[in-house]
Structure formats: C-alpha cells, structure tokens
Amino acid sequence: MKTISNTEFGGERPLFASHDLRIENVTVHAGESALKECGNIDAVNCRFEGKYPFWHVKGFSVRNCLFTEGARAALWYSNDLVMSDTLVEAPKMFREMDGISLENVQILNAQETLWHCRNVELKNVSVDNADYLFMHGENIHITGYRHSGNYSFQYCRNVEIRNAVINSKDAFWNAENVTVYDSEINGEYLAWHSHNLRLVNCRISGTQPLCYAHGLVMENCVMADDCDLAFECSSVEATVCSPVRSVKNPRTGSITAQSYGEIILDENIKHPADCRMLICEM
C-alpha cells in the first residue's frame, strides 16, 4: 500500500482513481472530489475541507479525521466504510451507501444524512441538527446513541436500537420492523403509520404518540404525562408501567397500564374496535 503523508491538496480530483492508498496527516483544501472512484483507501489524522471527497469509493477506512463544514456531501455512492474517532461538521453525509460502520463519531450538522443507506452499524455515535436522518435506511443496528433533530428514521426497515436518547418529533413514520431497547424517545407524533414497531423498556414523551400504527408492541415501557391522545387507529399490544394520560380510539389489541386519565371511544373508532384497556396489578 502506498503512503502519502504530511502534505496538502486542493482543487479538482487530486487523488482521482487512487487504489491501495494510505493518506496520513493530509489536508484536503477547497475543491471537489478529492478521492473519487477510489478503492482500498486508509485515511488517518486527515482534515477534509473540500466538497465531495469520497464518492464512488469501494472499501475505505477513516480514523481520527475532521470533516469541516465545507466538506459537505462527503461520502456518497460508496460501500464498505469503517469510520472511527472522527468529528463531522458537514451536512448531507452518507448517501446511497452499502456497508457503514461508525464508532465514536460525532456529527454536529447531520441534516439530510444517511439517506438510502443499507447495512449500517453505529456504536457510541451522537448527532445534532439531524433533521431527516436515516431516510429510507435498511438493516441498521445502533447502540449507545444520542440524537437531536426531527423527522428521524422515516421509511426505515429492519432497525435495532439500544441504549439511545432520541429527541425527534415525527420519528419512525412509516418505518417497518423496528425494535428499540432501553431507550428514551422524546417528541410529538411518534411512529405514525409504522409497521411492526417494538419498544422494550423505553420511556416516551410527546403528544399524540403511536397513532395509525400496525402491529405495535410495547413491553415494560413508561409514558410521560404529555403523552395524550395515544394509539388512535392503532393495532397494539402494550404493557405500560405508568399512568397513560389519554387513549383515543385504538383499533384493536390490548393496552395494560397503571391507570388512564381519559379513554375516548367515539363514533370515529375504526373496525374491529375491540381493543381492551386493562389495569395492571401493582
């Protein structure tokens, strides 16, 4: 493997079509597509300032690097990335990728990031300003995660999340086959139109959660006092270890909670309209 170290590049495509290359202590200044159409790249202690540095790359690792705000849309149409101990200040990272592993990564401006990505693993990752994160993602495994930004995980499939704090309104809309363990989810309108969402040992907050959900399962969860008008038009099997402020027109299944502030069943309830609401034994 060839090594390039302690140098700087700028302009258009300075390392275009490079293969079997290690770059160390390299700064990529303003320009475009520094490492486009490359393969087997190892980047260590590098600084990326120009746009689109890693496009159409097959097999690469990024360690102890910095992507400044100017390095927007940095990793697209690529596969088999391992990134660790890296700070990302740029938006629109990771698009149309297959095979992403992130560990100890902080993404400060995660707007429109991780779209149409498959086979993704995150460990000890935090994201901020993360509107529309993970749109249309598939086969995602996350542990040790902190998220701040709205409309997250929409249209995702096959997701497992553990030990996370997710602050996001409209999270998990239209998501399918998602399981969240031991986590906190804060934000209104949680998981509308989702399919096969399972929440285990989770705390949720926000108005009108879990409506129009299909196959919703909740195990040993807690709902905050602002979780009003929950479960409208949903099929649900829920065990809630707290009071539920209000339930409105659940479609079918059963809900077991410590108590209910209000149960609304009116003429708009949908067939089969047979959801049971039970009180758990203390």
Side-chain angles (χ1 to χ4, degrees):
M1 177 176 279
K2 179 181 178 181
T3 298
I4 297 175
S5 60
N6 304 311
T7 190
E8 303 177 8
F9 294 98
E12 305 301 306
R13 303 188 179 189
L15 297 169
F16 182 81
S18 295
H19 290 78
D20 305 314
L21 176 66
R22 176 185 173 95
I23 57 173
E24 185 171 0
N25 298 318
V26 168
T27 297
V28 177
H29 293 299
E32 294 186 7
S33 306
L35 289 141
K36 189 174 183 179
E37 296 285 0
C38 293
N40 193 22
I41 304 297
D42 188 15
V44 183
N45 298 323
C46 294
R47 178 184 176 94
F48 298 95
E49 299 174 355
K51 295 184 288 186
Y52 327 137
F54 292 95
W55 278 41
H56 302 282
V57 177
K58 296 181 178 180
F60 57 123
S61 65
V62 176
R63 291 174 287 151
N64 296 299
C65 291
L66 169 65
F67 292 82
T68 70
E69 187 174 0
R72 62 192 297 114
L75 300 98
W76 287 29
Y77 305 107
S78 299
N79 61 272
D80 300 324
L81 163 69
V82 177
M83 177 183 286
S84 61
D85 303 299
T86 289
L87 177 62
V88 178
E89 298 173 348
K92 300 186 178 181
M93 297 283 285
F94 314 110
R95 294 277 187 94
E96 297 284 357
M97 293 184 61
D98 190 348
I100 300 173
S101 175
L102 306 182
E103 184 170 1
N104 301 327
V105 173
Q106 185 177 9
I107 308 176
L108 302 183
N109 187 14
Q111 287 195 24
E112 302 178 30
T113 287
L114 285 159
W115 282 15
H116 298 278
C117 290
R118 300 163 298 285
N119 302 312
V120 180
E121 294 192 13
L122 273 59
K123 183 177 181 181
N124 298 328
V125 170
S126 64
V127 296
D128 291 288
N129 196 25
D131 287 358
Y132 296 104
L133 193 81
F134 275 114
M135 184 78 74
H136 293 285
E138 187 171 355
N139 302 335
I140 299 163
H141 290 81
I142 297 173
T143 185
Y145 177 69
R146 298 189 66 88
H147 176 108
S148 180
N150 296 320
Y151 324 114
S152 59
F153 298 97
Q154 293 192 353
Y155 299 96
C156 284
R157 297 178 60 196
N158 306 330
V159 180
E160 182 180 290
I161 300 173
R162 296 178 182 269
N163 301 307
V165 177
I166 299 172
N167 298 306
S168 173
K169 74 176 182 180
D170 295 349
F172 300 107
W173 274 55
N174 296 97
E176 182 176 350
N177 299 334
V178 175
T179 303
V180 184
Y181 298 93
D182 305 311
S183 296
E184 180 180 329
I185 308 173
N186 304 308
E188 58 196 21
Y189 316 127
L190 171 65
W192 283 37
H193 304 284
S194 59
H195 290 255
N196 302 327
L197 171 65
R198 181 178 173 220
L199 304 174
V200 182
N201 300 326
C202 290
R203 182 188 185 277
I204 69 171
S205 66
T207 186
Q208 299 180 55
L210 306 165
C211 299
Y212 295 90
H214 303 268
L216 170 67
V217 174
M218 299 176 68
E219 302 174 20
N220 195 37
C221 290
V222 171
M223 301 181 73
D225 187 58
D226 62 350
C227 289
D228 61 334
L229 304 173
F231 307 117
E232 185 176 12
C233 299
S234 291
S235 61
V236 53
E237 296 292 339
T239 302
V240 181
C241 301
S242 69
V244 176
R245 180 174 174 180
S246 65
V247 173
K248 182 176 182 180
N249 289 343
R251 188 172 60 84
T252 191
S254 70
I255 302 164
T256 302
Q258 287 185 354
S259 62
Y260 302 90
E262 184 180 24
I263 296 173
I264 303 167
L265 303 175
D266 61 26
E267 68 279 6
N268 297 308
I269 193 168
K270 294 185 181 295
H271 181 80
D274 60 359
C275 186
R276 296 175 298 148
M277 276 154 281
L278 309 172
I279 302 296
C280 64
E281 296 182 5
M282 301 297 292

